[in-house]
Amino acid sequence: MSAVVLPLPQAILWDWDNTLVDAWGGVQAGMNAALRAFALPEWSIEEVRARARLSLRDAFPAIFGAEWERARELFYGEVRARHLEFLTPLGGVLAALDAAAAWPLAVVSNKQGPILRREAAHLGWDIRFGALVGAGDAAADKPAAAPVLMALERLGIAPGPGVWFVGDTGVDMQAARAAGCSAVLLGDAAHDGGVAALSPDAVFADGHVLAECLRGLAKTPRLA
């Protein structure tokens, strides 16, 4: 599947973890701090990659029950202390972001908003985005449309197929569709059932391939 099935972008929204950056080490550290406190088995990095998709307010009640808010505080305490040491841009994403600079950009993540914005600032990427929307910023988190719509409102862009939402999981594809935007998969989604299971509108193998496509589109004449 390729970008030829998509309309020219009016704006591009991005997921954060495993789309633009590898921050799994920090997520694993926080998760295991909470699990240890509840005498639950710790998760391997593979389990974290496979299971950490929803925001904590949606995922933790099923894991920790009535005390999920205490688990959340333990998780965030560890993450705040260590997350920047694990943060690494994924291959090709800088080229993709440079190529995408021709359009309004935003991030919509299920990482807590203040942590997301701290990570973006740490990388010097915050100036690239007109909005950085994380978990807890909107009335609901992905896969709901609310955070996508919040980001678009801040960009001054109406939702529609001309808005590309680039992510790596089914949660991202669902959020894109819920907001009426194009669902664009980055990577093979091997950690989330594969490409066929997610049925994206378009798929790019990695940031390098996406960058090449966006550079070509940026040269496409626009209709008045």
Side-chain angles (χ1 to χ4, degrees):
M1 200 176 302
S2 70
V4 297
V5 302
L6 297 176
L8 286 172
Q10 297 175 339
I12 303 175
L13 309 185
W14 309 80
D15 174 48
W16 186 249
D17 289 322
N18 212 46
T19 297
L20 295 178
V21 302
D22 182 344
W24 290 116
V27 177
Q28 182 189 30
M31 192 71 219
N32 285 340
L35 291 168
R36 283 193 300 272
F38 283 78
L40 294 171
E42 296 186 22
W43 290 5
S44 68
I45 195 68
E46 291 76 21
E47 288 175 302
V48 173
R49 288 177 182 272
R51 299 172 70 176
R53 299 191 186 91
L54 298 174
S55 66
L56 266 64
R57 64 175 167 179
D58 291 331
F60 267 33
I63 301 171
F64 298 103
E67 291 193 87
W68 73 271
E69 290 176 310
R70 181 167 76 88
R72 178 183 61 186
E73 294 309 308
L74 292 166
F75 173 91
Y76 280 130
E78 186 73 11
V79 169
R80 291 187 191 102
R82 304 188 60 193
H83 67 118
L84 295 181
E85 70 185 79
F86 296 103
L87 192 64
T88 306
L90 291 173
V93 300
L94 276 173
L97 288 173
D98 286 344
W103 296 279
L105 306 180
V107 170
V108 180
S109 172
N110 271 347
K111 173 167 280 176
Q112 189 186 53
I115 294 176
L116 166 67
R117 290 183 280 276
R118 185 179 176 197
E119 291 185 354
H122 177 76
L123 293 173
W125 290 4
D126 49 335
I127 60 174
R128 293 177 178 267
F129 303 107
L132 288 151
V133 177
D137 291 338
D141 304 316
K142 295 184 301 184
V148 178
L149 298 176
M150 174 180 282
L152 289 174
E153 182 178 7
R154 292 178 180 177
L155 293 180
I157 301 290
V163 175
W164 294 16
F165 190 105
V166 182
D168 70 297
T169 68
V171 166
D172 298 318
M173 304 300 101
Q174 293 166 35
R177 294 192 179 103
C181 302
S182 291
V184 179
L185 181 67
L186 191 63
D188 61 8
H191 58 303
D192 199 16
V195 175
L198 273 55
S199 299
D201 297 317
V203 58
F204 297 90
D206 56 33
H208 297 290
V209 178
L210 177 57
E212 183 177 359
C213 169
L214 292 174
R215 282 193 291 265
L217 292 178
K219 298 175 183 177
T220 301
R222 311 291 174 86
L223 297 176

